[in-house]
Amino acid sequence: MEFEFTNEQKIIRQTAKEFAEAEIAPSSIERDISGKFPTEIVKKLGELGFMGIMVHPDYEGAGLDTVSHVLALIEISKVDASVGVIMSVNNSLVCFGLEKYGSDFIKKKYLTQLASGQKLGAFALSEPEAGSDATKQKTSAVKDGDNYILNGTKNWITNGQSADYFLVMASTDKSKESKGISTFLVEKGWDGFEHGKKEDKLGIRSSDTCSLSFSNVKIPVENLIWEEGKGFNFAMETLNGGRIGIAAQAIGIAEASLEASIKYSKERNAFDSAISNLQAIQFKLADMAVKIDAAKLLTFRAASFKDAGEKYFKEAAMAKLYASKIAVECALEAIQIHGGYGYVREYLVERYLRDAKITEIYEGTSEIQRLVIARALLNS
Ligand code: CAA
């Protein structure tokens, strides 16, 4: 077992860190308040190769591994978790699935643009009545000659307003339940496809989340991904990788909470010295550091399994479950250490808590992660 990153991985981490501090940090508070989508930042991430980090260079990707993706996402999310999720969804839920299961036509026409960052992707599985119970798809796609006709509603779609290309799960045969679901690539602007208003969220406020509606949208048969009836397997497999991405996002938030707490506790005086001299504060910092390292070990293990071509769904679920839990805990402790200052926007840590909470919800709630882990234990 090795605990050292390669030189290439270290360079990726450093590049992401420098980019995040120089280009993302200065406007992060303003975006949290306004909820404005970071269009220019996403464009620059594309130029750096971060929007298709794991995609082969044949399809305009950076050709790097999942460990590099995690390292970059931690650094980006440490500065702005909204940017982290935009990047994670494009890489893990969109590019990864298209590279693995898309036809040559799909890869050449769509993946190249998504991986190079010229276009942005979104993943549309959830529906008003199909969240955790994702097999209950009401959205339908009916074959009609050389097209499928898509009808239905999706919600909670990350990148929903800004994306150009959408991977949409829909039922092609209701009688077959999960085996009757298929995935389609749908372009923004096609007749009958509309998005709803941007949700006014507690956290990750500058990522855009909205509902989508499809009314008799014509999808050419070439835009079916993988094959009919494989849509649920496609969604589950891409979500396994997505969960590693969200674990990385959560670690970034937790690290930001710890770094802010160390800095503040050295600067703040009480009882005639810096509060970092108080054991009450030191114990909190120590506990945060242990939790962050444990979350990192789980997440890099899942990423390494994925890169090695081994099964990793249980490891990804463990990583997301634990990293999201400790992100909330570390953000709460950071607020406690900051006292009243932790409760106001100026000191950022209140945003860390608001941003952290969603990591326990999207790409499978913590309850779903426990279900995935327990089923793996019981079926092995
Ligand atoms: N990896 C690979 N395959 C999986 C899988 C996994 N983690 N979990 C299930 N599957 C496969 C099963 O092997 C089975 O395949 P076959 O039919 O070929 O045998 C198929 O999926 C059906 O599985 P189950 O019978 O276990 O299905 P279920 O209904 O009992 O449970 C579930 C499935 C685990 C609860 C699943 O519905 C689930 O993960 N729900 C959560 C959905 C989710 O994560 N939504 C996130 C929305 S996307 C989002 O948040 C994105 C964003 O914008 C940020």
Side-chain angles (χ1 to χ4, degrees), residues 63-136:
L64 299 169
D65 56 10
T66 313
V67 170
S68 302
H69 183 220
V70 168
L71 286 167
L73 265 179
I74 291 175
E75 296 305 325
I76 303 285
S77 305
K78 197 189 283 187
V79 168
D80 190 337
S82 293
V83 178
V85 74
I86 296 165
M87 181 179 144
S88 180
V89 165
N90 198 71
N91 277 288
S92 325
L93 295 187
V94 181
C95 288
F96 173 75
L98 288 184
E99 185 166 26
K100 191 156 182 202
Y101 294 112
S103 62
D104 276 355
F105 163 77
I106 289 284
K107 288 190 216 176
K108 282 188 191 132
K109 179 163 180 193
Y110 296 107
L111 178 60
T112 47
Q113 296 185 51
L114 289 159
S116 60
Q118 292 168 54
K119 301 283 183 189
L120 184 66
F123 178 87
L125 173 68
S126 299
E127 298 188 355
E129 290 173 58
S132 289
D133 192 2
T135 60
K136 300 290 183 300

Side-chain angles (χ1 to χ4, degrees), residues 66 96 100-101 236-237 240-241 244 298-318 372 375-377 379-380:
T66 313
F96 173 75
K100 191 156 182 202
Y101 294 112
M236 291 297 110
E237 283 204 30
N240 290 334
I244 298 175
L298 284 171
T299 306
F300 285 118
R301 179 182 68 167
S304 303
F305 275 31
K306 178 166 175 274
D307 287 335
E310 293 176 35
K311 270 194 183 170
Y312 64 95
F313 69 95
K314 176 173 79 56
E315 289 71 21
M318 286 179 163
V372 171
R375 283 184 183 181
L377 295 174
N379 294 332
S380 65

Side-chain angles (χ1 to χ4, degrees), residues 332-359:
L332 273 170
E333 284 296 48
I335 292 175
Q336 194 66 18
I337 290 168
H338 282 70
Y341 295 102
Y343 207 64
V344 292
R345 276 191 197 273
E346 198 186 336
Y347 278 77
L348 285 178
V349 289
E350 60 84 34
R351 190 187 92 207
Y352 299 154
L353 179 63
R354 290 188 285 108
D355 286 352
K357 184 57 203 171
I358 190 63
T359 65

Side-chain angles (χ1 to χ4, degrees), residues 38-307:
T39 309
E40 281 308 305
I41 290 171
V42 173
K43 204 170 141 223
K44 288 182 185 166
L45 283 171
E47 288 160 11
L48 279 176
F50 283 2
M51 296 305 281
I53 208 162
M54 297 171 288
V55 175
H56 194 277
D58 284 355
Y59 301 108
E60 308 288 333
L64 299 169
D65 56 10
T66 313
V67 170
S68 302
H69 183 220
V70 168
L71 286 167
L73 265 179
I74 291 175
E75 296 305 325
I76 303 285
S77 305
K78 197 189 283 187
V79 168
D80 190 337
S82 293
V83 178
V85 74
I86 296 165
M87 181 179 144
S88 180
V89 165
N90 198 71
N91 277 288
S92 325
L93 295 187
V94 181
C95 288
F96 173 75
L98 288 184
E99 185 166 26
K100 191 156 182 202
Y101 294 112
S103 62
D104 276 355
F105 163 77
I106 289 284
K107 288 190 216 176
K108 282 188 191 132
K109 179 163 180 193
Y110 296 107
L111 178 60
T112 47
Q113 296 185 51
L114 289 159
S116 60
Q118 292 168 54
K119 301 283 183 189
L120 184 66
F123 178 87
L125 173 68
S126 299
E127 298 188 355
E129 290 173 58
S132 289
D133 192 2
T135 60
K136 300 290 183 300
Q137 296 286 307
K138 282 198 175 152
T139 298
S140 65
V142 177
K143 198 158 182 204
D144 179 21
D146 289 340
N147 297 296
Y148 284 88
I149 308 297
L150 184 70
N151 280 289
T153 304
K154 296 285 173 182
N155 64 351
W156 313 127
I157 307 307
T158 302
N159 300 343
Q161 293 197 334
S162 306
D164 304 281
Y165 302 142
F166 296 76
L167 291 181
V168 181
M169 273 37 83
S171 175
T172 37
D173 186 345
K174 287 231 156 45
S175 69
K176 293 187 180 157
E177 299 188 342
S178 73
K179 287 189 166 35
I181 295 170
S182 308
T183 301
F184 299 91
L185 194 148
V186 179
E187 292 187 28
K188 180 184 200 153
W190 279 357
D191 277 354
F193 175 16
E194 285 179 8
H195 62 68
K197 68 171 178 49
K198 182 170 175 156
E199 301 291 351
D200 189 8
K201 304 189 298 276
L202 176 71
I204 57 158
R205 289 179 49 77
S206 71
S207 83
D208 75 53
T209 309
C210 68
S211 58
L212 309 175
S213 73
F214 306 100
S215 175
N216 293 322
V217 177
K218 251 190 206 176
I219 311 172
V221 287
E222 307 86 76
N223 281 30
L224 169 70
I225 308 298
W226 198 354
E227 55 190 71
E228 250 194 43
K230 289 289 189 187
F232 194 72
N233 299 79
F234 177 90
M236 291 297 110
E237 283 204 30
T238 50
L239 277 166
N240 290 334
R243 288 165 185 169
I244 298 175
I246 301 306
Q249 184 199 23
I251 291 166
I253 300 168
E255 280 199 338
S257 302
L258 176 59
E259 284 179 14
S261 300
I262 292 172
K263 182 168 182 290
Y264 181 80
S265 65
K266 285 181 174 172
E267 289 166 3
R268 170 76 179 175
N269 285 311
F271 307 106
D272 302 322
S273 80
I275 61 170
S276 58
N277 291 322
L278 302 173
Q279 279 192 343
I281 302 296
Q282 290 175 354
F283 288 1
K284 287 187 193 300
L285 299 176
D287 285 345
M288 287 161 84
V290 173
K291 288 174 184 177
I292 291 168
D293 264 17
K296 279 181 165 173
L297 289 170
L298 284 171
T299 306
F300 285 118
R301 179 182 68 167
S304 303
F305 275 31
K306 178 166 175 274
D307 287 335

